């Protein structure tokens, strides 16, 4: 069922790791507070993705949790929904914000929308960059960076590197780092 149909306690009973690898079996979903506490003990930076349509007041509690912990400077806030990216700008305009884009254009003028939103990154599906080699140049022309999601093979990493992307979001960071 939908996540919204369950309590946090119910969700935290689920095995969140065995789908990925056997060594992660029985891993639990952390609460936002648990994640923020973990983050304070690291130097990690975080891409925070807001799914769907959020308003400025609705993003405030999550952003405030990071700010209270003193790790707000390590965030990039992103969404596929331009209305949410706009709301993130209203609430946290000083934070880097990204517009996620899918494998294909879903509405005309995606890059114009990204420019109007003042994003610092346009983060497309990696296949989009391979299919449209000029996309990286056009995004860079806007003054934004490109972080593709989620190439997970050496072949895909090479393709997006050749396309000139600035960063890779992957499910295999250890392997990608040694690539």
């Amino acid at each position: 069922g939908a996540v919204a149909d369950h309590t946090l306690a119910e969700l935290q009973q689920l095995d969140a790791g065995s789908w990925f690898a056997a060594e992660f079996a029985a891993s639990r979903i952390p609460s936002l507070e648990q994640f923020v506490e973990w983050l304070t003990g690291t130097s990690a930076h975080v891409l925070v993705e807001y799914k769907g349509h959020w308003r400025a007041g609705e993003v405030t509690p999550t952003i405030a949790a990071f700010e209270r912990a003193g790790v707000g400077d390590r965030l990039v806030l992103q969404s596929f929904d331009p209305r949410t990216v706009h709301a993130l700008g209203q609430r946290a305009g000083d934070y880097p914000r990204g517009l996620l884009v899918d494998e294909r254009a879903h509405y005309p003028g995606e890059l114009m929308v990204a420019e109007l939103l003042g994003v610092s990154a346009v983060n497309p599906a990696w296949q989009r960059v391979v299919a449209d080699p000029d996309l990286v140049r056009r995004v860079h022309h806007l003054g934004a960076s490109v972080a593709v999601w989620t190439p997970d093979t050496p072949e895909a990493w090479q393709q997006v590197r050749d396309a000139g992307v600035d960063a890779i979001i992957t499910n295999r960071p250890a392997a990608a780092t040694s690539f």
Side-chain angles (χ1 to χ4, degrees), residues 89-100:
Q90 289 177 311
R91 167 51 181 86
D94 292 341
Y95 289 89
R97 289 173 294 118
L99 178 65
L100 289 156

Side-chain angles (χ1 to χ4, degrees), residues 99 109-119 122 141-144:
L99 178 65
E110 282 177 325
L111 296 186
M112 184 173 54
V113 170
E115 184 175 27
L116 290 170
L117 290 169
V119 297
V122 175
H141 182 74
L142 298 176

Side-chain angles (χ1 to χ4, degrees), residues 4-179:
D5 294 339
H6 301 280
T7 66
L8 176 61
E10 290 170 334
L11 294 171
Q12 287 183 319
Q13 295 304 309
L14 300 174
D15 175 353
S18 61
W19 69 272
F20 188 71
E23 68 252 33
F24 297 108
S27 294
R28 302 294 178 225
I29 300 169
S31 67
L32 177 61
E33 291 77 16
Q34 290 166 329
F35 176 73
V36 170
E37 182 179 334
W38 169 84
L39 185 61
T40 61
T42 74
S43 61
H45 287 73
V46 180
L47 285 166
V48 181
E49 181 180 342
Y50 290 83
K51 305 275 189 184
H53 180 201
W54 293 60
R55 292 174 180 80
E58 295 169 331
V59 300
T60 294
T62 55
I63 296 169
F66 290 105
E67 290 172 339
R68 280 191 305 274
V71 294
D73 61 334
R74 294 194 261 152
L75 302 178
V76 175
L77 310 173
Q78 63 181 3
S79 180
F80 283 98
D81 191 318
R83 298 168 299 177
T84 299
V85 176
H86 177 71
L88 291 166
Q90 289 177 311
R91 167 51 181 86
D94 292 341
Y95 289 89
R97 289 173 294 118
L99 178 65
L100 289 156
V101 293
D102 213 332
E103 290 90 349
R104 58 185 174 77
H106 287 281
Y107 51 88
E110 282 177 325
L111 296 186
M112 184 173 54
V113 170
E115 184 175 27
L116 290 170
L117 290 169
V119 297
S120 57
V122 175
N123 299 336
W126 72 272
Q127 299 93 333
R128 177 90 176 264
V129 168
V130 172
D132 182 0
D134 195 46
L135 180 62
V136 173
R137 183 198 61 76
R138 293 191 323 268
V139 171
H140 286 164
H141 182 74
L142 298 176
S145 64
V146 177
V148 293
W149 53 270
T150 45
D152 290 329
T153 66
E155 296 81 16
W157 298 328
Q158 186 64 52
Q159 288 179 304
V160 297
R161 187 166 77 177
D162 290 348
V165 303
D166 301 294
I168 295 172
I169 303 164
T170 182
N171 293 313
R172 299 183 56 213
T177 301
S178 64
F179 173 70

